[in-house]
Amino acid sequence: MITRAGAGPLRRLVVLRHAKSAWPVGVADHERPLAPRGRRDAPAAGRALAEADCLPDLALCSTAVRARQTWELAAAQWGTPPPVRVDGRLYGADVSELLEAVHEVPDEVGTLLLIGHNPGLEELVLELAGDGLGDALDDVTTKFPTSAVAILAWHGTTWEELAPGTALLTDMVVPRGKKKA
């Protein structure tokens, strides 16, 4: 059941888990790049957001290499990408740390893209969603894999008003790129 956040404009929080990463020997976790599949899937995530008419006004991105590469490849699918803030707090963040970063977003931002890591992102989606359309909540609960996109909608005048149970999970998709023949 959704606990209404309050009156105000419709806002959307788009949560994107980084695309599939590689595991090169001797490379620190923070520095791991995207795997070939991730390099295919990240642009597919960008195209999926464009096709859903869900382009962000601002992006918050983890400092991890795989998250920044996901952002770059997804945003390259749009005519004019929005500003991005690379934030070290998003690397390995839990729900409270992610929500703290979201609460700092300027009020004029209507759609925010958050790019980071599990388990924090999956837990954030489940914490914020008071309800979901179709099977979206079940899908997130079952698995929130790499390149997964969850779209949460809510009404509020400031991002600080976004709280547990106040959003509607309108969609959850896992865009995949195609292998070249």
Side-chain angles (χ1 to χ4, degrees):
M1 174 187 234
I2 295 178
T3 305
R4 189 154 169 92
L10 178 67
R11 296 180 183 275
R12 293 181 298 185
L13 174 61
V14 179
V15 178
L16 171 59
R17 184 174 174 201
H18 66 77
K20 183 74 174 171
S21 60
W23 292 85
V25 175
V27 175
D29 182 73
H30 187 271
E31 304 307 312
R32 289 181 19 232
L34 291 180
R37 189 179 99 195
R39 292 191 167 282
R40 292 189 307 268
D41 293 348
R47 288 189 298 274
L49 289 175
E51 290 165 6
D53 195 26
C54 198
L55 296 181
D57 302 310
L58 175 69
L60 298 180
C61 183
S62 163
T63 54
V65 170
R66 60 193 179 273
R68 289 182 287 134
Q69 289 176 335
T70 299
W71 157 251
E72 291 164 2
L73 292 168
Q77 305 304 304
W78 312 326
T80 305
V84 61
R85 294 182 185 168
V86 178
D87 189 332
R89 296 176 298 174
L90 303 181
Y91 175 69
D94 63 19
V95 171
S96 63
E97 293 164 320
L98 292 166
L99 205 49
E100 180 181 316
V102 169
H103 284 167
E104 296 170 2
V105 170
D107 298 343
E108 62 270 9
V109 172
T111 299
L112 174 67
L113 173 61
L114 182 62
I115 305 166
H117 314 271
N118 258 2
L121 291 183
E122 177 180 332
E123 293 168 355
L124 177 70
V125 170
L126 294 173
E127 180 86 9
L128 293 175
D131 203 354
L133 297 180
D135 294 331
L137 268 174
D138 289 338
D139 291 346
V140 172
T141 301
T142 301
K143 189 173 184 181
F144 197 67
T146 55
S147 299
V149 177
I151 302 172
L152 294 152
W154 62 284
H155 287 274
T157 54
T158 71
W159 283 92
E160 285 184 273
E161 296 171 17
L162 182 58
T166 60
L168 175 67
L169 180 61
T170 62
D171 204 0
M172 190 283 218
V173 296
V174 184
R176 296 292 187 215
K178 294 180 182 172
K179 288 184 180 180
K180 294 182 180 176

